[in-house]
Amino acid sequence: MFGPGRWKSGFMDGNRGSQQAPVASPPDASSVVLIPSATAATGSAVPGAAVRGPGIQGLIFDLRTLPINTDSSGLIDEMRELEELTSAISARQARVAVAFDLTQRAEQAQSGVPAAERGMGVAAQVALARRESPNKGSRLLGFAKALVMEMPRTMAALDSGQLNEWRATLLVKETACLSVEDRAAVDEELAPDSGTFEGVGDKTIIAAAKAAAYRRDPRSVAQRASHSATERTVSLRPAPDTMTYLTALLPVAQGVAVYAALTRTADSLRSSGDPRTRGQAMADTLTERITGTPGGVSGINLNLVMTDRTLFQGDPEPARLEGYGIVPAEWARALLAEEPSGSEDQHHRSEFTVLLRRLYTAPGSGELLTMDSRARFFPQRLRRFINIRDNTCRTPYCDAPIRHIDHIIPWHSEGGTNLQNGAGLCEACNQTKENPGWNAASMPGEVHTLQVRTPTGHSYHSKAPPLPGHKSARLRS
């Protein structure tokens, strides 16, 4: 359910430690200290130790109750001190993450887990603890390993507040293609803890790291640039006001060529009297060339979930467009109408077929009504049902697109093929739930709730997003 992820160059893969130098001897040997749980319970301050007790809770309490300054100078001083504290906490989290990884690997070795499989699921547990997506958890674990084991001076700069977590991340990223030895040498050359980057911005840090990395190993840097072309992709994410961001990651030559072609067409249209702005003409041209139609929606199924009151009675209850999210009721009705409301839309809209699917919900809870099957694999209609109900991956804090519809309680453990025991998951999360020590269950309640238990015994929950018309949806809108 919570599989390993990887940044574009692989520089933050949470499982990287198993493929590098032995993790038992990090360059900064004092940065990872494991202490018995009995000692941790006392809350005593042990530098670098993974303390889980009143020490951290006491710090949180002090922050919540500390009076705020009333003079401008004091407020700025406190802001700076809080920033340094944030950096120190980030450094502490990195040490704790590495200590947790080492502990988990040791426990897995004692349990007989093959060496190649040790560390699986660690990044997912880091993600859940930090309330991040599994993909982000893997990056955070890889970042922690690089800092603690390979870049002690960058780690010291983060610990002292001379670097924040993002700028330390930039240094880790730009040295990812280097060997452990070369990365440590670049870390020493740049010496972030000596104030090298005081007063500089992100671009200066990136440039310095790139130059140092290239001097150490120009071939690896060139190979990394060549490999990046294999990771070209297109992504979509929601934007405010029923808009979206369509992003393409392309090699520089192709990216410049695409932009130049769109610009040239837009300038030509505007010179011939087209009233659209340059940006509007570029966006419309892109849509037309990709879809083959002016409006860009012909032949595409748009799953729009709304109440009958919204559709027929003008109710303001928002609708939900699958793949995007919540949309205004008026906009949803306009999408289904023969003629949209905006004159600009009328000019560029093409005809398309509207298919209405009726989705019935329970009156009290707003839950989609159940379907059942005796089959091992979810039938297509039930898969569609679960996909609409869950909207995105049901792993807590993961909002990746759904790729698999699978059993919460596995089929081989007598889990049924039905709506209650089905969940939409991304591919990585569906794989991780098969790791030893992971299990899941659906919890009773008005709204479908998934409980996930990790190998450490911690539990996390996620609820299916409320459908239009449900009271929770109204409260959140």
Side-chain angles (χ1 to χ4, degrees):
M1 196 178 288
F2 314 91
R6 184 181 291 267
W7 276 25
K8 292 184 176 62
S9 63
F11 75 94
M12 282 191 173
D13 184 354
N15 289 315
R16 179 180 176 186
S18 62
Q19 301 168 0
Q20 298 293 324
V23 297
S25 302
D28 183 10
S30 65
S31 60
V32 182
V33 180
L34 299 178
I35 62 175
S37 57
T39 306
T42 66
S44 56
V46 180
V51 177
R52 182 180 174 226
I56 301 296
Q57 291 300 320
L59 175 62
I60 294 172
F61 178 81
D62 288 343
L63 282 173
R64 289 172 176 167
T65 57
L66 190 67
I68 295 180
N69 266 292
T70 56
D71 66 288
S72 296
S73 177
L75 289 170
I76 289 296
D77 288 341
E78 180 175 339
M79 205 172 299
R80 177 63 246 168
E81 291 167 356
L82 288 171
E83 187 64 24
E84 292 178 359
L85 176 61
T86 300
S87 295
I89 289 173
S90 296
R92 173 74 177 199
Q93 283 183 314
R95 294 190 183 97
V96 170
V98 173
F100 178 67
D101 180 65
L102 292 171
T103 302
Q104 284 279 284
R105 289 174 184 272
E107 292 174 358
Q108 291 170 356
Q110 292 176 354
S111 301
V113 175
E117 298 178 13
R118 293 171 197 164
M120 298 298 292
V122 171
Q125 295 181 73
V126 170
L128 287 168
R130 294 193 60 171
R131 299 187 178 182
E132 297 284 3
S133 70
N135 184 273
K136 179 71 176 291
S138 186
R139 301 199 303 264
L140 289 169
L141 179 57
F143 167 73
K145 289 182 178 182
L147 282 181
V148 173
M149 299 177 173
E150 300 170 10
M151 304 181 73
R153 302 202 67 164
T154 301
M155 180 64 167
L158 179 64
D159 214 359
S160 64
Q162 295 179 70
L163 287 179
N164 59 27
E165 187 176 37
W166 171 244
R167 290 183 171 175
T169 301
L170 295 177
L171 292 170
V172 171
K173 176 183 177 182
E174 296 303 331
T175 57
C177 58
L178 303 178
S179 66
V180 174
E181 294 76 17
D182 284 339
R183 178 180 248 176
V186 169
D187 181 60
E188 181 66 29
E189 176 185 337
L190 298 179
D193 61 321
S194 65
T196 306
F197 298 120
E198 183 69 32
V200 306
D202 292 353
K203 291 182 179 179
T204 302
I205 292 176
I206 292 172
K210 281 183 175 179
Y214 189 79
R215 285 193 295 269
R216 287 284 168 182
D217 191 354
R219 178 177 295 181
S220 292
V221 175
Q223 287 176 344
R224 172 181 167 181
S226 176
H227 175 74
S228 294
T230 66
E231 297 173 339
R232 57 193 181 277
T233 187
V234 177
S235 60
L236 182 74
R237 70 183 194 275
D241 303 323
T242 65
M243 301 291 282
T244 59
Y245 296 106
L246 177 67
T247 305
L249 178 65
L250 300 172
V252 62
Q254 286 90 326
V256 170
V258 169
Y259 188 81
L262 292 173
T263 302
R264 188 164 52 246
T265 300
D267 289 342
S268 176
L269 290 169
R270 283 173 54 77
S271 66
S272 62
D274 194 306
R276 291 174 291 177
T277 66
R278 190 187 199 207
Q280 290 171 342
M282 291 173 68
D284 293 343
T285 301
L286 175 65
T287 302
E288 291 168 14
R289 291 186 178 180
I290 295 299
T291 65
T293 60
V297 292
S298 181
I300 302 296
N301 277 337
L302 298 177
N303 289 327
L304 187 66
V305 183
M306 61 197 308
T307 67
D308 54 353
R309 301 184 304 279
T310 297
L311 179 59
F312 298 116
Q313 300 174 14
D315 192 271
E317 177 67 35
R320 191 176 80 192
L321 182 64
E322 188 176 359
Y324 175 81
I326 299 299
V327 295
E330 185 176 355
W331 184 93
R333 284 191 293 270
L335 181 68
L336 298 176
E338 291 185 2
E339 294 295 335
S341 57
S343 59
E344 187 175 310
D345 284 342
Q346 290 178 6
H347 181 73
H348 300 288
R349 175 83 168 272
S350 65
E351 294 183 357
F352 65 101
T353 302
V354 176
L355 176 63
L356 291 177
R357 287 197 183 101
R358 301 184 188 187
L359 300 175
Y360 294 99
T361 61
S365 67
E367 269 277 73
L368 288 171
L369 294 182
T370 189
M371 297 175 66
D372 203 354
S373 172
R374 296 178 181 273
R376 175 172 183 176
F377 299 103
F378 286 86
Q380 186 59 39
R381 289 187 178 182
L382 186 53
R383 293 174 64 85
R384 184 185 299 131
F385 217 65
I386 294 173
N387 197 79
I388 292 174
R389 180 197 69 191
D390 291 351
N391 197 38
T392 58
C393 177
R394 282 295 300 282
T395 298
Y397 313 115
C398 181
D399 55 3
I402 293 173
R403 297 290 182 237
H404 296 167
I405 304 294
D406 205 353
H407 299 79
I408 297 173
I409 299 175
W411 171 267
H412 57 75
S413 298
E414 314 229 341
T417 305
N418 53 56
L419 189 62
Q420 186 67 14
N421 194 46
L425 302 168
C426 68
E427 184 175 357
C429 289
N430 196 34
Q431 292 173 352
T432 302
K433 74 182 178 66
E434 302 300 328
N435 289 328
W438 293 83
N439 60 73
S442 58
M443 305 297 291
E446 289 188 344
V447 178
H448 187 268
T449 302
L450 176 67
Q451 180 193 55
V452 175
R453 289 185 64 84
T454 67
T456 59
H458 291 82
S459 295
Y460 302 88
H461 298 81
S462 74
K463 289 187 176 183
L467 291 167
H470 184 222
K471 57 183 178 182
S472 295
R474 292 194 293 271
L475 289 173
R476 295 184 187 186
S477 62

